[in-house]
């Protein structure tokens, strides 16, 4: 996800976030923590030249092509015109590094921005809620990097009580309906998402 984040974070604010900064300044409102994080603490925010925009756009298209090739490699056969058949229908993946984070604390977006970059449809659904009796802090865990440490130290079972724990289904570009059908299938078979 690091490569995907570098590409999409570079393309988020090609004008160096001038428009967002001006709008916030004009409003007289204070910067919200996540807005400050994504604009002022994001090392990829800068005013891009035309050449730089083309560079990042080309990187995006190369990334999309490579990901498409990986998905096509799951094919179990080939159709009459050489098209892959029997590829994976959808991907089931986490939405984030844990349960829904407290307000203003969702600082790792790699689990969802990946699909934005690829222009793949994703459907997020809750599967459970945090239960402090069950969802204890993993003692002795050593975070793998700074982002992991942030999320690990953020978690306190009581603070997260009742927070949704969610997954997402991801489909290929233009296969939004297939993602919804897969969700309906899961819902009918195992009763997700929860309703209380």
């Amino acid at each position: 996800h690091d490569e995907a984040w570098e590409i999409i974070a570079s393309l988020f604010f090609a004008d160096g976030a001038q428009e967002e900064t001006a709008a916030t300044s004009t409003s007289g409102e204070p910067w919200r923590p996540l807005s400050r994080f994504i604009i002022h603490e994001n090392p990829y925010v800068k005013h891009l030249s035309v050449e730089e925009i083309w560079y990042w756009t080309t990187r995006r298209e190369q990334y999309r092509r490579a990901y498409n090739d990986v998905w096509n490699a799951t094919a179990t056969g080939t159709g009459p015109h050489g098209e892959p058949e029997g590829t994976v229908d959808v991907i089931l993946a986490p939405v984030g590094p844990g349960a829904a984070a407290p307000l203003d604390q969702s600082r790792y977006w790699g689990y969802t921005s990946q699909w934005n970059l690829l222009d793949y449809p994703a459907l997020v659904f809750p599967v459970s809620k945090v239960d402090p009796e069950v969802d204890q802090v993993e003692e002795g865990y050593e975070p793998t990097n700074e982002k992991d440490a942030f999320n690990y130290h953020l978690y306190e079972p009581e603070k997260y009580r009742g927070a949704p724990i969610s997954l997402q289904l991801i489909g290929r570009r233009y296969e939004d309906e297939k993602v919804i059908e897969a969700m309906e299938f899961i819902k009918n078979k195992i009763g997700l998402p929860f309703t209380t």
Side-chain angles (χ1 to χ4, degrees):
H1 291 164
D2 289 342
E3 180 183 3
W5 179 250
E6 179 184 15
I7 296 167
I8 199 167
S10 296
L11 289 169
F12 270 152
F13 306 105
D15 70 345
Q18 290 176 345
E19 187 175 340
E20 292 77 9
T21 300
T24 303
S25 297
T26 302
S27 75
E29 295 289 325
W31 281 87
R32 296 293 305 155
L34 289 180
S35 297
R36 188 180 326 106
F37 162 72
I38 195 60
I39 291 174
H40 297 295
E41 297 174 34
N42 178 356
Y44 302 108
V45 172
K46 67 177 197 164
H47 191 277
L48 301 178
S49 67
V50 172
E51 292 82 9
E52 289 169 318
I53 291 171
W54 277 113
Y55 169 79
W56 288 111
T57 302
T58 300
R59 289 270 313 269
R60 181 193 67 199
E61 295 308 307
Q62 291 168 340
Y63 189 85
R64 286 179 174 178
R65 191 169 25 260
Y67 210 93
N68 187 59
D69 291 345
V70 169
W71 201 309
N72 284 342
T74 68
T76 57
T78 305
H81 304 291
E83 72 279 8
E85 289 185 338
T87 59
V88 167
D89 290 317
V90 294
I91 298 171
L92 177 65
V95 174
L103 183 64
D104 297 328
Q105 299 300 313
S106 181
R107 294 174 64 116
Y108 183 73
W109 304 347
Y111 289 93
T112 53
S113 64
Q114 163 90 0
W115 314 120
N116 298 138
L117 177 66
L118 291 166
D119 198 20
Y120 284 5
L123 190 154
V124 174
F125 59 100
V127 294
S128 187
K129 294 181 182 180
V130 171
D131 177 350
E133 301 301 317
V134 175
D135 302 309
Q136 294 292 309
V137 174
E138 184 179 344
E139 298 300 331
Y141 176 75
E142 292 293 327
T144 59
N145 57 42
E146 186 180 315
K147 294 172 189 172
D148 191 29
F150 176 84
N151 287 298
Y152 176 73
H153 295 298
L154 190 63
Y155 184 73
E156 296 172 18
E158 274 306 319
K159 180 167 66 174
Y160 275 74
R161 178 184 289 277
I165 302 168
S166 299
L167 294 173
Q168 60 183 326
L169 285 176
I170 302 99
R172 297 184 88 163
R173 199 171 186 192
Y174 308 121
E175 293 191 346
D176 305 56
E177 293 86 0
K178 185 183 279 188
V179 174
I180 293 168
E181 288 174 10
M183 184 70 248
E184 289 298 320
F185 179 83
I186 291 170
K187 186 176 177 181
N188 291 334
K189 292 295 181 185
I190 59 176
L192 291 177
F194 67 79
T195 56
T196 58

